[in-house]
């Protein structure tokens, strides 16, 4: 039994708030490794989705 099931970011009640500091930091690390830029003004949901994409691209975190 998974006690901390992942919730779809689209269902987050705070998903439209600005990304968190840790999200921003990790995004910049992943983006640097992937040779990509991090767009300005991402929401928590957008940051989470971009993190997933960049983790797939870099092979990190999975």
């Amino acid at each position: 039994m998974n006690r901390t099931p992942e919730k779809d970011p689209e269902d987050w009640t705070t998903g439209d708030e600005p990304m968190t500091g840790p999200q921003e930091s990790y995004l910049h690390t992943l983006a640097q490794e992937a040779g990509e830029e991090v767009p300005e003004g991402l929401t928590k949901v957008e940051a989470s989705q971009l993190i997933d994409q960049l983790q797939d691209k870099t092979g990190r975190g999975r």
Side-chain angles (χ1 to χ4, degrees):
M1 181 173 163
N2 187 358
R3 293 180 183 235
T4 57
E6 283 192 35
K7 192 173 188 179
D8 186 335
E10 294 293 331
D11 295 332
W12 293 355
T13 57
T14 61
D16 59 346
E17 293 178 1
M19 71 177 143
T20 65
Q23 280 180 311
E24 184 174 14
S25 176
Y26 189 44
L27 264 177
H28 283 284
T29 298
L30 288 171
Q32 184 177 14
E33 288 181 15
E36 296 198 12
E37 296 289 321
V38 176
E40 294 288 322
L42 293 177
T43 65
K44 288 180 181 178
V45 167
E46 292 167 336
S48 178
Q49 291 168 338
L50 185 54
I51 286 169
D52 288 345
Q53 291 171 12
L54 292 175
Q55 282 180 330
D56 288 343
K57 186 173 183 176
T58 62
R60 277 180 145 238
R62 300 270 170 171

